[in-house]
Amino acid sequence: MVVAGLAGELACGSALVTGTNGKTTTARLLARALHASGLTPVHNTAGSNLMRGLAATLASVAGPAGHLPASRRTIGVFEVDEAVAPHAARAVRPRIVVFTNLFRDQLDRYAELDTVAALWRGMIEELHGATIVLNADDPLIGALPAPPAGRRLLYGIADPAAAGDPSGAADSIWCPRCGNRLEFRAVWFAHLGDYGCPECGYARPPLDFAAVGVRPCGFEGSDLRVRLDEREIAIRLPLPGIYNVSNALAALAGAVALGVPSEVAARALTDATAAFGRAERLTVAGREVAILLVKNPTGADQALRTILAEEATPHLLLALNDRIADGRDVSWIWDVDFERLAARHGPITVTGDRADELALRLKYAGVADGVEVQPDPERAVRRALARGEGRLYILPTYTALLTLHDILARQAGTARFWERREP
Amino acid sequence: MTRAIRIGHLYPDVMNLYGDRGNILALVQRARWRGIQVDVVPISLGDPFRAETVDLLFAGGDQDREQRRVAADLAGPKGDAIRAAIEAGLPALVVCGSYQLFGQRYLPAEGPELPGLGVFDVVTEHPGVNVVRCVGNIVVDWNGSLLVGFENHGGRTYLGPRAAPLGRVVAGYGNNGQDGTEGARYKNAFGTYLHGSLLPKNPRLTDELLRLALQQRGDDPTLAALDDSVEEAARRVAIARARAERHAQRNVGATARPR
C-alpha cells in the first residue's frame, strides 16, 4: 500500500493528529516547530485528512522512481479524520499521536461519540511503544489509556481566569468511567475544563503541559505562560480564541515528545500563521476579510464569541453546504448560539447549498434585520463586500470554504492556498 | 386574557442530539409571535413528572449510553404518570431515541433489551453496528401535507397491531426502510425519526402542537397566520435534497430484507 511504503521511508518517523476540532491548526503548528528544529516535515496541508489525502501528500513528495528523497531529516505530520485514524496508524506506525478533543461533528458519518472513543481505544492497543499526547481538559480524551510499553503526555489549561460562560453545546458531561454526571470546577468552553466525578473519583489527570497564564488579546491572539517540568515558558500566540490555546499546547507537547527543545517550539508558535481557513486574514477589493472555518456547534460558538469580542456590529458572510465533507445533516446549526447576534450585528449575507436553512435559523434566533440570502457564492461575495465597511467575517463550512477561497483569491490576486508551500 | 403554554422538556441535558433545541425554539417563537406566553420546564433524570404543570411534552434524541439511563428513569412512577397524562390527551412530540423509548421495547445493538413506556404499540430492534444506518434527508406524507427532516438511526421500528403510523415515507427510510411507514401517532402524542431540526421546517406540525396544547388547557386554540416565506424556502430545498437522494436509497434497500 502506498501510504505504508512511503511512510516507512520517512527517516524520523511520523506524528498523527486526530480529534474533532483543531486538527489542522495543531498539525500546522507542530510542523512549524519541527521545521524550526531543523527537520523537514511532510505534511498534508490542505485539510485532506482521509487515507487518499495522506497518499497524495506522500506521492507528491516522492521522486519519479516512487521513493521519497533520501534524507535523514524527513518526518511525517499527518492530520487524520477521527474514524480514519486507526487505519492511518496501522499504515504509518506513528511515533506519537495527538488527540485534540471529541465533539459531535458530522454525526451522519461517525454515529456517536462513544463509538469513536471505543475505536480509538482499540487503535491505542496497537500503538506499541508510542507516545500519545492527550487533551486532559476533555473527559473522554483524558480517560484514554497509555499504549502498551508507551506513555501518555497530558496538556490542558490551568488558569481559572480563562473560564468562559458554559455554552449550550456541551457534548460529554458524563463520566467516561461510571456514567454519572461530571462536576466542573471550571469550563473553558463546551465540555472542556477542569472536571471530576463525585461518584467514582475520576478527575482530570495531572498536566504535563499546563497553560497557567492566559491573556486573550481579541482577534490578535493570546499571551500564554506554559508550565512544563517545574519551568515556565512564554508564548505570544497570534491565533485568537481559547480553542487555539489548546491547539498550541497540543503542538508544544507533540514537538517536545518528538525531541524538539521546548524553547525552539515556543518560538515557532509565536511566529505562527493561521491554518487554512482557521482565522485566516486577507485583503479583497480594499477590504479586510477574516475567514473562520466552522464545522460544528462548538467551533461556530467560539467563532461568534471571538468576533463579538472584537466588533460592535460584526459584518458577516455565513456559508452552509451539506456535501459529504461538510456532513449532510445540517441540524447542528440549531445548536449554535446565533442568539448571541440578536442584540447587535451588522449586515449578514447567507450563502451555500443550504443558505435558506441558515436564514431560517437566524429568523428563530431573533436575527431578522439585515439578513440577505444569496445562494450563489460568487454573488454572495460581491454583495457582502458591497454591503458594509470595515472587516468582513466569513464563516463557511468546509466545502463552502474551498469555493469561497477560490473566489476571494481570484479577486485578491493571491495564490490559492494549496499552491502555498508550508511552513 | 393572555394565553400561556407550559412546555415540559424531558431530559434536555441528556437527550439533545441533532439540534433538538431547534424544536423547542420553533414552539417558543411561534407562540410568542402570536402573543402567547411560553414557559419551558426542564424535567431531567430524577425529577418527578407532574401532569398538572405541563401542557405539551417534548423529548429528543440521544446516544445509546444515555438511552439506558433514561429507560431506567422512565421505569416506575414517572413513566406511569407520563403514560397516564398522554392517555388523558396531553400533546407530546418525541423524536428518534425518545420515540424508541416511548414504544413497547428497544433491543439495542449491544446489551440487554430496554423496556419502553408503551405509549406507542411499536417495537424497535437494532440490527447491529455492521448493518447500514438509516441516514439521510427524508420526506413524509402526513395527512396530505409533507413533513421534511433528516433521519439518522440504527434501530428499526416495527408497528404492532394497535399502532397507527404518523405518515407514509415519500423519500427516505422511516420506521424501518421496508414497510413505508414513518413514526407513530397515539391520541395527541407524535413519535418520529425526523430531526433536522423538525419543527422549524414544518410550521404546520408546530402549529398543530400549539393548538393541541391550548385545547388541552381549555384556552382558545385559534392561531393567527404568520408569514412563513423563510420556512417555505428552507422546506423547498430540504424536500429537493430528499428526492435527489431517493434513487441511491432504493439501491441500498434492494440488498436489505425483502418486504
Side-chain angles (χ1 to χ4, degrees):
Chain A
M1 199 184 148
V2 184
V3 173
L6 289 175
E9 297 180 15
L10 293 163
C12 299
S14 299
L16 296 186
V17 179
T18 192
T20 314
N21 284 322
K23 288 188 288 287
T24 301
T25 301
T26 300
R28 186 130 160 183
L29 294 174
L30 177 57
R32 287 191 79 89
L34 295 169
H35 182 72
S37 77
L39 296 173
T40 311
V42 174
H43 173 202
N44 53 339
T45 42
S48 50
N49 55 25
L50 305 178
M51 285 307 276
R52 59 176 180 276
L54 262 58
T57 301
L58 286 163
S60 75
V61 185
H67 289 284
L68 297 186
S71 160
R72 282 179 294 137
R73 290 206 284 269
T74 49
I75 184 163
V77 178
F78 304 117
E79 60 151 297
V80 287
D81 181 279
E82 301 92 292
V84 172
H87 307 286
R90 230 167 276 141
V92 166
R93 303 187 168 278
R95 287 169 62 196
I96 71 160
V97 180
V98 180
F99 295 90
T100 62
N101 50 54
L102 198 45
F103 288 96
R104 56 176 72 153
D105 179 24
Q106 307 182 6
L107 283 158
D108 57 315
R109 282 203 293 159
Y110 297 150
E112 294 151 354
L113 300 181
D114 290 340
T115 314
V116 177
L119 210 60
W120 284 354
R121 277 192 287 275
M123 158 187 176
I124 289 168
E125 274 170 32
E126 296 177 18
L127 287 173
H128 198 271
T131 298
I132 57 172
V133 177
L134 305 176
N135 185 355
D137 292 336
D138 186 323
L140 275 173
I141 304 279
L144 292 175
R151 60 173 178 154
R152 312 196 306 162
L153 278 182
L154 293 134
Y155 66 90
I157 296 168
D159 179 358
D165 57 323
S167 122
D171 292 292
S172 174
I173 50 169
W174 310 102
C175 177
R177 295 256 168 90
C178 72
N180 278 287
R181 187 191 298 272
L182 290 170
E183 281 175 6
F184 281 81
R185 276 179 287 278
V187 174
W188 318 131
F189 62 96
H191 66 272
L192 302 192
D194 185 4
Y195 51 84
C197 174
E199 293 295 323
C200 74
Y202 170 64
R204 183 173 74 159
L207 304 175
D208 302 300
F209 295 80
V212 289
V214 179
R215 200 169 63 82
C217 314
F219 208 69
E220 306 308 317
S222 305
D223 285 337
L224 317 179
R225 282 181 299 113
V226 180
R227 192 176 56 219
L228 57 150
D229 319 315
E230 327 272 291
R231 288 176 307 125
E232 277 188 16
I233 50 175
I235 297 173
R236 167 155 282 196
L237 184 68
L239 305 175
I242 189 84
Y243 50 98
N244 276 319
V245 172
S246 285
N247 295 334
L249 287 170
L252 179 66
V256 170
L258 289 166
V260 178
S262 52
E263 291 74 17
V264 173
R267 242 193 332 273
L269 298 185
T270 297
D271 298 333
T273 50
F276 166 55
R278 280 79 174 172
E280 187 181 14
R281 285 151 78 170
L282 37 138
T283 306
V284 183
R287 279 192 68 184
E288 195 185 329
V289 173
I291 306 175
L292 293 95
L293 175 73
V294 293
K295 309 184 289 185
N296 46 44
T298 311
D301 273 346
Q302 289 298 308
L304 289 177
R305 246 167 80 175
T306 304
I307 292 166
L308 283 165
E310 188 75 359
E311 306 282 340
T313 54
H315 179 186
L316 303 173
L317 171 58
L318 310 175
L320 177 65
N321 279 358
D322 63 352
R323 301 173 198 181
I324 287 173
D326 304 293
R328 288 189 295 143
D329 183 359
V330 295
S331 59
W332 63 273
I333 67 166
W334 292 92
D335 287 325
V336 177
D337 251 327
F338 284 108
E339 282 74 9
R340 288 175 198 279
L341 293 171
R344 53 187 174 93
H345 64 86
I348 300 179
T349 310
V350 295
T351 188
D353 302 338
R354 300 298 293 269
D356 290 298
E357 183 88 15
L358 257 179
L360 185 62
R361 175 69 188 93
L362 291 172
K363 176 178 175 180
Y364 281 84
V367 183
D369 293 347
V371 176
E372 189 172 307
V373 184
Q374 292 289 356
D376 174 56
E378 192 97 40
R379 265 184 83 91
V381 168
R382 251 200 328 272
R383 284 294 300 152
L385 288 171
R387 287 182 71 204
E389 293 179 338
R391 194 186 281 159
L392 169 66
Y393 291 87
I394 305 184
L395 278 65
T397 58
Y398 186 68
T399 67
L401 172 64
L402 298 179
T403 310
L404 290 172
H405 211 283
D406 239 10
I407 294 167
L408 291 165
R410 252 197 329 271
Q411 298 204 10
T414 59
R416 285 176 299 177
F417 73 94
W418 56 86
E419 290 167 350
R420 284 187 227 142
R421 297 309 294 177
E422 277 295 328
Chain B
M1 209 185 85
T2 317
R3 293 180 293 174
I5 291 176
R6 297 159 305 171
I7 302 172
H9 189 175
L10 270 177
Y11 311 111
D13 50 346
V14 189
M15 315 278 273
N16 56 4
L17 275 186
Y18 311 127
D20 283 328
R21 190 173 149 203
N23 290 322
I24 294 289
L25 274 175
L27 290 165
V28 168
Q29 294 287 50
R30 295 184 72 80
R32 287 195 182 146
W33 289 334
R34 287 147 166 149
I36 301 169
Q37 274 181 18
V38 188
D39 264 338
V40 180
V41 186
I43 306 168
S44 196
L45 297 169
D47 296 345
F49 172 81
R50 298 204 313 276
E52 67 279 9
T53 62
V54 166
D55 311 308
L56 173 63
L57 196 61
F58 172 76
D62 64 346
Q63 311 195 35
D64 276 359
R65 173 172 51 158
E66 274 98 38
Q67 208 156 2
R68 211 163 276 289
R69 302 160 59 83
V70 167
D73 192 66
L74 283 176
K78 186 170 181 172
D80 294 341
I82 293 174
R83 206 171 26 242
I86 286 172
E87 205 59 54
L90 177 72
L93 174 66
V94 294
V95 178
C96 204
S98 300
Y99 166 44
Q100 294 172 341
L101 289 183
F102 271 55
Q104 302 288 5
R105 56 184 189 275
Y106 174 52
L107 187 64
E110 286 169 5
E113 183 176 287
L114 300 179
L117 212 49
V119 165
F120 304 116
D121 182 25
V122 303
V123 169
T124 303
E125 296 170 16
H126 196 302
V129 287
N130 294 323
V131 179
V132 67
R133 290 174 73 85
C134 304
V135 180
N137 291 287
I138 170 168
V139 175
V140 176
D141 181 331
W142 171 57
N143 303 334
S145 77
L146 296 182
L147 296 176
V148 63
F150 196 95
E151 61 183 322
N152 182 351
H153 51 106
R156 267 65 166 178
T157 298
Y158 300 93
L159 302 177
R162 289 175 290 109
L166 175 63
R168 313 291 307 180
V169 176
V170 176
Y173 296 92
N175 277 331
N176 47 51
Q178 294 165 24
D179 64 13
T181 66
E182 154 49 30
R185 167 107 194 233
Y186 178 72
K187 295 200 168 176
N188 291 332
F190 300 72
T192 180
Y193 274 118
L194 271 64
H195 64 88
S197 294
L198 170 68
L199 293 183
K201 275 193 296 289
N202 296 284
R204 234 171 277 184
L205 178 59
T206 316
D207 288 353
E208 175 69 10
L209 288 165
L210 292 176
R211 259 191 297 272
L212 289 169
L214 289 166
Q215 228 157 38
Q216 181 71 7
R217 282 176 69 85
D219 282 348
D220 172 15
T222 334
L223 294 178
L226 297 172
D227 173 3
D228 285 340
S229 48
V230 180
E231 286 80 352
E232 285 304 324
R235 274 173 70 79
R236 268 198 302 278
V237 175
I239 290 170
R241 270 286 182 285
R243 290 192 192 276
E245 285 164 12
R246 202 175 158 188
H247 178 69
Q249 282 169 356
R250 280 226 177 108
N251 291 343
V252 172
T255 61
R257 274 198 273 162
R259 290 167 75 145

